[in-house]
Amino acid sequence: MNYILIVDDHADIRRLLSIPLGRQFDILEANNGTTALEAIRRYRPKLVLLDVMMPGELDGLQVLDAIKADPATWDTVVGMVTARGQQSDSEQGRKRGADAYFVKPFSPLQIVTWVREHMAADMLQANANA
Amino acid sequence: MKRGMKFWSESPNRDARILLILWLTTALLLLVTVLHVYSLEKGDRLRVLAAADRDLSNLTRVSQEHASRTFRSADQVIRFVRSRYLAEGSKLNLYDLTARGVIDSQIFNQVGVIDEKGIYILSNLPKMEKMDLSDRDHFKEHIARDTGEMFVSKPVLGRASGKWSIQLSRRISRADGRFAGVVVVSIDPGYFTRFYADLDLGAKGMAALYGMDGIARARMVGEVADFGAKADKSPVFSQLEGGVQSGSYTQSSVVDGIERLYFYRKVPGFSLVVFAGTELRYLLAGHVAARDALYLQSLLLSVLILFLATSLTYYLQKIRKETASRRLAQQQNQERTLQLSAIFSMSPDGFVSFDESRRIKYVNPSFGRMTDLDPEGLQGLDEVDFSARLAAQCVSGASFKGVGKLSAPGQLDGSMDVDIIEMAATPKRLLQVGTLQGDTASVPLILYFRDVTQEIEVGRMKSEFLSTAAHELRTPMASIYGFVEIVLADKDLSDTHREYLAIAYRQAQVMAHILNDLLDLARIEERHGSDFRYAPVNLQDLLHSVVKAMPIPEGRDRPGLNVPVRPMVVSADEGKLRQVMVNILSNAYKFSPDGGSVEVALEVQQLDGVRMACMQVTDQGIGMSAQQMAQVFTRFYRADASGRISGTGLGMSIVKEIVNLHHGQVSIASNLGTGTRVNVLLPLTSTGTAREG
């Protein structure tokens, strides 16, 4: 299964992303970092949309670090979604291995386009492997 | 100050006392001088007179003895002749007796006998003429009775001889007491005056032999002898009648009017007095000369004393006046100083002032409280020691860099670089340090410290709040914006609904921009440029890339770019500079809705002697009034009140913040209707400075 994991503590934001993406992809949702990591290890989603600022033990960047540190998950495509719009933040995210950086308020359609590009490439690759 | 006041109020009294003492002393000195002169003069006079009195006393004693012996020897002759005449009668040969030396004729002109009828019958002279002398005093005196005394006549000028003589006579009495005639001895009064001439009595000194009748028998004044002078009016004779034997007195002579000191002695056994007198003027000549010199001396001394006292008084008054005015000035100065120190000591801000030798002169208590340094202990320190002391009180990261490193005076308006130091004490304390250049040499430098902990804290909280608020708004904004977008993507939407949602979508975009700008501004303020990453930025490259990448409104041309060939480099955060230029350029397009070109230029400009890079953006838009220009950098101010031109009103505020943090300046020139020019000046780095010409 080609899952997409949407991680955000706000249900509305999760819904905002799952509505347009859910039409084409299988969606998993998590509302905090810990749950997100569990879901990633269990379901191995191809792509994760990760909110940076979340309450709880792990924030988005720590989850990103965990994904990239685990050889089993390091190739997961990660798009960071954040309320922090500073240039330095996005650079930090990219440096740690994020594939894209979306600042709230974002355009869902733009994210769908981005996800589609990556999933298509991934599927092509998967198909080629198969 | 209290002591000064007291002294001041007492001063006139003290001066009056001093003056009183001065003049009393002066009067005393004058009195002493006069008394001294008086006593000297009197003493001297008395001494002179006493000496003269003694001399005269001795001289009169000599002349008394002389007269006494002379008359005794004459009397001796008279007695001898009388006894011989009584024995021999008219046979007595006086000439023979004289020739034989029995009668001493040396001092006597004549020795003779007058008979009872008054006929001069005997004489010791060889040529003898009988003559009637019965009318003469020395005969008549003896007729009536025998007085037992020798008669001494007044000097008589001889009818025949033309010589002065004094007749000495005694009565010749028979055994039965009958009058038998008179023995006469004629004596030359010159005999006395010649003796007197040998006495030294001065030029107008006088020696004389007087009878008790006040008639001079012989008198010598100076070199001149005279006989028969009448002095019976002189009171001395009445005294002599009273039995006085000798004495002295001072008197103007009844004979010649000359004032003399006289000494007199009675000749014992005869009705005669000897006098000796020295002219007072002659006597006192030396004394008078000395006295006059003394008078002159003492007069000069008195004048000198008076002059000194007057001068002293004058200068004392003058000094008093000067002292008073100086004291007044000093007092005013002191009061002003007190006022100033009171103001300084009450000031919540810290002050440290340096004196002309650039050492600490004054530290106010607030500075001590702010820095936990003892103001007393800082006195006299120089700039280096002071900087070290202060730096020791600071946290290492925000330490005091030293007096010399402070911003130039006059840049304390807040817009420029202000030195902020953080004290090591808890709670956290932040001080703003400024310098004031004194306008006098005595106060060349004042350091000024303001506790800005609160302000900075409030500023920080404000920025933090702004940042948090904007941040928190982003998530709900994301929902609104995102869901509207999703709905808008629905093909089944009616045209009306699509139009409405499009408006909501557009406005949500504007809101997102505002949030971005607010966050940018808050972050810049909060961090004060500490997150800026400075690097050499080539402005030509920067402008090229901005102009190229800039989203341009539809139907407008890209900005024209005019830059010099030689690279111009500034030290800057490239991203921030890009933001500056994008904000200015987007304003240029927004505020020229009717088109026209937008030009970007780059050149070198001098600002206060510093070479600056100047980036210019010129549009041909609606421009601004002076009033609008004054507000350009005010947050949320929008030059366009119509709402037709979208914007957040924060763009130029961000520009200004960023440029200021780069030590640069933003200026705007604009005219309503003709367009606006924005200049951004940034200091050129020395290595990147384009040298022209």
Side-chain angles (χ1 to χ4, degrees):
Chain A
M1 287 292 277
N2 287 326
Y3 287 114
I4 291 173
L5 174 62
I6 298 170
V7 188
D8 199 309
D9 56 316
H10 290 96
D12 288 344
I13 300 296
R14 294 200 300 273
R15 194 149 166 66
L16 179 61
L17 290 168
S18 66
I19 289 170
L21 290 172
R23 292 176 192 150
Q24 303 162 49
F25 307 104
D26 295 310
I27 306 295
L28 295 168
E29 290 184 23
N31 67 349
N32 64 60
T34 316
T35 316
L37 267 186
E38 278 175 22
I40 288 164
R41 278 163 195 159
R42 183 179 298 175
Y43 299 104
R44 300 289 174 84
K46 293 295 173 202
L47 187 146
V48 179
L49 286 168
L50 189 54
D51 187 18
V52 175
M53 282 178 52
M54 286 183 296
E57 285 173 30
L58 297 170
D59 70 8
L61 288 172
Q62 284 165 309
V63 174
L64 174 63
D65 288 344
I67 292 169
K68 294 298 166 183
D70 187 346
T73 58
W74 70 271
D75 60 343
T76 309
V77 177
V78 180
M80 302 297 289
V81 179
T82 181
R84 281 155 60 162
Q86 276 302 101
Q87 208 178 359
S88 56
D89 293 339
S90 74
E91 277 180 20
Q92 184 118 43
R94 282 181 200 283
K95 213 184 279 174
R96 293 196 192 187
D99 297 276
Y101 203 88
F102 302 100
V103 179
K104 291 178 185 176
F106 50 81
S107 161
L109 299 182
Q110 198 185 333
I111 292 184
V112 169
T113 308
W114 177 78
V115 169
R116 221 183 254 161
E117 279 171 15
H118 277 271
M119 291 303 281
D122 209 67
M123 278 188 289
L124 281 173
Q125 209 172 26
N127 290 344
N129 289 347
Chain B
M1 155 132 185
K2 210 170 190 178
R3 205 178 54 177
M5 286 291 282
K6 199 176 162 198
F7 185 77
W8 165 246
S9 66
E10 270 186 8
S11 181
N13 283 339
R14 200 184 64 132
D15 283 0
R17 220 163 40 235
I18 287 172
L19 279 182
L20 185 69
I21 290 168
L22 173 71
W23 282 101
L24 280 176
T25 311
T26 306
L28 193 70
L29 270 173
L30 289 176
L31 186 70
V32 164
T33 308
V34 167
L35 285 177
H36 183 63
V37 166
Y38 175 74
S39 79
L40 271 180
E41 193 265 338
K42 193 176 181 186
D44 189 51
R45 186 188 173 91
L46 284 176
R47 230 177 357 265
V48 169
L49 290 178
D53 198 68
R54 200 165 53 244
D55 286 351
L56 292 175
S57 166
N58 294 336
L59 287 174
T60 50
R61 180 73 192 86
V62 172
S63 55
Q64 179 200 35
E65 192 60 28
H66 175 255
S68 179
R69 284 180 190 276
T70 307
F71 286 114
R72 264 181 220 289
S73 73
D75 201 20
Q76 201 86 50
V77 172
I78 289 171
R79 283 169 197 272
F80 170 71
V81 172
R82 182 174 63 180
S83 74
R84 299 297 296 172
Y85 178 71
L86 280 173
E88 295 175 37
S90 54
K91 282 180 211 107
L92 178 65
N93 189 346
L94 289 177
Y95 175 76
D96 183 51
L97 284 174
T98 304
R100 281 194 286 127
V102 178
I103 296 169
D104 178 7
S105 65
Q106 286 285 313
I107 55 169
F108 311 124
N109 292 339
Q110 262 185 81
V111 179
V113 175
I114 304 169
D115 69 7
E116 70 270 21
K117 288 185 184 85
I119 306 298
Y120 188 52
I121 52 167
L122 294 175
S123 171
N124 67 333
L125 296 180
K127 221 175 118 199
M128 157 72 194
E129 255 179 72
K130 288 188 181 172
M131 61 180 104
D132 185 0
L133 294 176
S134 60
D135 59 335
R136 301 293 174 97
D137 285 344
H138 56 272
F139 174 74
K140 289 195 287 187
E141 176 72 18
H142 300 294
I143 300 168
R145 57 186 183 93
D146 188 358
T147 55
E149 275 189 27
M150 183 178 75
F151 174 78
V152 181
S153 79
K154 295 161 193 165
V156 183
L157 194 61
R159 283 171 197 159
S161 65
K163 289 181 179 174
W164 283 97
S165 63
I166 297 170
Q167 264 53 247
L168 312 174
S169 61
R170 268 188 185 274
R171 188 181 201 246
I172 307 166
S173 298
R174 305 265 176 216
D176 54 359
R178 247 177 336 109
F179 177 62
V182 173
V183 181
V184 184
V185 169
S186 178
I187 186 171
D188 176 8
Y191 173 73
F192 294 100
T193 54
R194 277 193 295 281
F195 173 73
Y196 295 155
D198 291 340
L199 303 179
D200 182 10
L201 288 165
K204 285 176 181 165
M206 190 234 29
L209 175 69
Y210 272 88
M212 292 293 278
D213 51 9
I215 295 184
R217 298 307 191 259
R219 184 166 172 267
M220 188 75 189
V221 175
E223 306 280 304
V224 181
D226 68 77
F227 309 98
K230 276 186 75 162
D232 52 342
K233 296 281 189 318
S234 176
V236 72
F237 291 101
S238 52
Q239 280 175 29
L240 284 162
E241 291 291 343
V244 179
Q245 293 301 309
S246 68
S248 67
Y249 62 98
T250 302
Q251 185 186 288
S252 292
S253 164
V254 295
V255 179
D256 54 23
I258 292 169
E259 191 181 25
R260 295 192 179 85
L261 171 67
Y262 292 104
F263 203 98
Y264 61 89
R265 279 181 196 275
K266 226 175 149 183
V267 182
F270 302 97
S271 292
L272 294 168
V273 192
V274 287
F275 283 89
T278 306
E279 192 194 7
L280 215 55
R281 206 194 296 169
Y282 168 81
L283 195 64
L284 295 174
H287 161 78
V288 166
R291 185 197 62 185
D292 288 350
L294 191 67
Y295 281 173
L296 190 65
Q297 234 176 6
S298 63
L299 188 73
L300 287 175
L301 187 68
S302 301
V303 167
L304 188 70
I305 289 169
L306 280 172
F307 174 74
L308 282 177
T310 312
S311 307
L312 258 165
T313 308
Y314 173 74
Y315 284 109
L316 210 71
Q317 300 282 14
K318 206 171 154 183
I319 287 167
R320 197 182 75 82
K321 266 185 215 148
E322 275 172 16
T323 314
S325 61
R326 201 175 317 134
R327 205 171 288 280
L328 192 69
Q330 236 171 31
Q331 195 190 351
Q332 282 170 346
N333 212 351
Q334 209 173 23
E335 270 169 21
R336 205 162 40 235
T337 308
L338 278 169
Q339 249 171 12
L340 280 178
S341 9
I343 290 168
F344 276 125
S345 62
M346 283 192 300
S347 164
D349 295 337
F351 289 98
V352 177
S353 76
F354 289 80
D355 63 14
E356 61 267 35
S357 58
R358 295 193 89 86
R359 287 181 178 278
I360 290 176
K361 187 166 192 185
Y362 176 75
V363 179
N364 78 338
S366 291
F367 177 78
R369 280 197 295 278
M370 281 177 181
T371 58
D372 295 326
L373 286 168
D374 176 23
E376 296 294 320
L378 296 173
Q379 294 281 342
L381 292 185
D382 64 12
E383 288 170 17
V384 175
D385 288 343
F386 170 74
S387 301
R389 287 273 196 99
L390 186 54
Q393 296 293 107
C394 297
V395 295
S396 50
S399 181
F400 186 64
K401 293 175 185 71
V403 175
K405 297 250 166 52
L406 288 171
S407 308
Q411 298 193 341
L412 289 169
D413 56 356
S415 67
M416 294 304 269
D417 203 17
V418 166
D419 298 88
I420 304 282
I421 58 172
E422 185 175 344
M423 305 314 295
T426 47
K428 177 175 172 165
R429 201 181 294 154
L430 295 165
L431 303 180
Q432 177 186 320
V433 190
T435 59
L436 295 170
Q437 209 74 36
D439 50 357
T440 56
S442 58
V443 187
L445 178 68
I446 297 174
L447 294 185
Y448 159 87
F449 295 81
R450 199 156 70 83
D451 190 336
V452 289
T453 315
Q454 199 103 13
E455 274 171 51
I456 288 179
E457 189 63 13
V458 166
R460 194 188 60 74
M461 281 167 69
K462 192 187 79 184
S463 300
E464 202 177 83
F465 167 75
L466 214 55
S467 161
T468 311
H471 199 235
E472 288 303 316
L473 281 171
R474 277 178 184 257
T475 303
M477 274 301 301
S479 292
I480 295 166
Y481 183 77
F483 280 109
V484 169
E485 193 182 70
I486 289 168
V487 176
L488 270 175
D490 190 344
K491 293 179 184 71
D492 297 340
L493 214 58
S494 76
D495 286 351
T496 319
H497 286 165
R498 186 175 301 280
E499 189 197 337
Y500 294 165
L501 282 171
I503 294 169
Y505 186 62
R506 211 162 51 234
Q507 291 304 319
Q509 268 180 321
V510 170
M511 215 156 143
H513 274 148
I514 294 176
L515 281 175
N516 283 339
D517 284 353
L518 265 181
L519 259 175
D520 281 345
L521 203 55
R523 220 178 294 248
I524 289 167
E525 280 193 341
E526 187 184 341
R527 300 187 183 169
H528 257 288
S530 62
D531 58 342
F532 283 12
R533 274 160 309 168
Y534 289 94
V537 175
N538 183 312
L539 293 180
Q540 278 93 338
D541 294 350
L542 177 89
L543 290 178
H544 273 297
S545 102
V546 168
V547 165
K548 205 171 147 191
M550 178 77 201
I552 302 295
E554 259 178 70
R556 301 291 297 269
D557 293 329
R558 290 209 165 267
L561 187 58
N562 179 18
V563 297
V565 178
R566 204 179 281 263
M568 288 169 69
V569 180
V570 295
S571 173
D573 182 315
E574 191 180 346
K576 298 296 171 198
L577 273 198
R578 195 178 290 274
Q579 192 176 358
V580 164
M581 292 317 290
V582 167
N583 281 5
I584 294 172
L585 279 170
S586 70
N587 273 352
Y589 280 101
K590 270 193 277 185
F591 290 96
S592 52
D594 299 331
S597 65
V598 173
E599 297 294 332
V600 176
L602 177 65
E603 60 184 44
V604 176
Q605 270 192 15
Q606 295 283 337
L607 182 76
D608 299 330
V610 179
R611 289 165 64 84
M612 307 284 272
C614 177
M615 298 187 281
Q616 268 179 7
V617 176
T618 312
D619 67 56
Q620 296 171 335
I622 56 174
M624 284 181 285
S625 66
Q627 216 174 359
Q628 287 172 318
M629 270 203 288
Q631 302 250 48
V632 164
F633 299 114
T634 307
R635 273 155 216 197
F636 300 111
Y637 175 78
R638 300 189 55 217
D640 171 62
S642 68
R644 282 188 298 125
I645 297 169
S646 68
T648 61
L650 291 169
M652 288 308 284
S653 299
I654 292 170
V655 165
K656 187 171 161 61
E657 288 291 337
I658 292 173
V659 173
N660 281 349
L661 287 169
H662 281 87
H663 307 285
Q665 274 190 11
V666 186
S667 63
I668 295 180
S670 183
N671 275 315
L672 265 183
T674 58
T676 302
R677 168 177 292 171
V678 179
N679 289 329
V680 173
L681 287 116
L682 293 169
L684 282 163
T685 56
S686 52
T687 51
T689 302
R691 297 195 191 281
E692 292 163 328

